Amino acid sequence: MVLADDHQSMIAKVRETFGEEFEIIGTAENGDRAIDFVLTLDADVLVIDISMPGLNGLQAAKRLQKVNCRTKIVFLTIHEDPDFVAAAFAAGASAYVIKSRINTDLVPAIREAMLGKTFVSQTLKL
């Protein structure tokens, strides 16, 4: 799994949330590095934020989709607007998790994504 977020504190929080359940093979602070890691390391899952400097998460997901990348994309973001949710799934997302629900939603979202299913944090009004 690759994690992409421009805040090291969030990457640390995700590591803590995972415990021993998932192996993190790379971390990136922007979309460009996330793409490089995903393609180089052949990651099963990419957990990515939407708002990052340079190439944002939506742009990175679209680029991965264009090259038919098999990696499942899970957005982990503060954005609760339904337009962001729709944009994420249009860009190839398998899951959309709100950062305030990281403890309850992130692990189930990744499990669902790995099974080929979709997941959206329950607090979102779609």
Side-chain angles (χ1 to χ4, degrees), residues 25-94:
I25 58 174
T27 61
E29 68 284 345
N30 61 50
D32 285 312
R33 291 208 20 107
I35 290 170
D36 288 344
F37 279 133
V38 165
L39 296 177
T40 303
L41 302 172
D42 192 30
D44 293 324
V45 177
L46 167 63
V47 176
I48 190 167
D49 191 10
I50 288 178
S51 300
M52 294 185 291
L55 195 69
N56 70 40
L58 292 171
Q59 294 165 324
K62 287 178 188 173
R63 288 197 186 169
L64 289 169
Q65 190 178 40
K66 281 184 181 177
V67 297
N68 295 317
C69 182
R70 70 169 190 84
T71 302
K72 302 295 184 186
I73 300 171
V74 175
F75 280 95
L76 178 62
T77 182
I78 62 167
H79 298 288
E80 296 189 33
D81 186 306
D83 290 341
F84 278 101
V85 179
F89 280 97
S94 294

Side-chain angles (χ1 to χ4, degrees), residues 10-21:
M10 183 53 61
I11 288 176
K13 176 70 174 166
V14 171
R15 285 183 189 277
E16 178 185 312
T17 301
F18 287 168
E20 299 294 317
E21 185 151 355

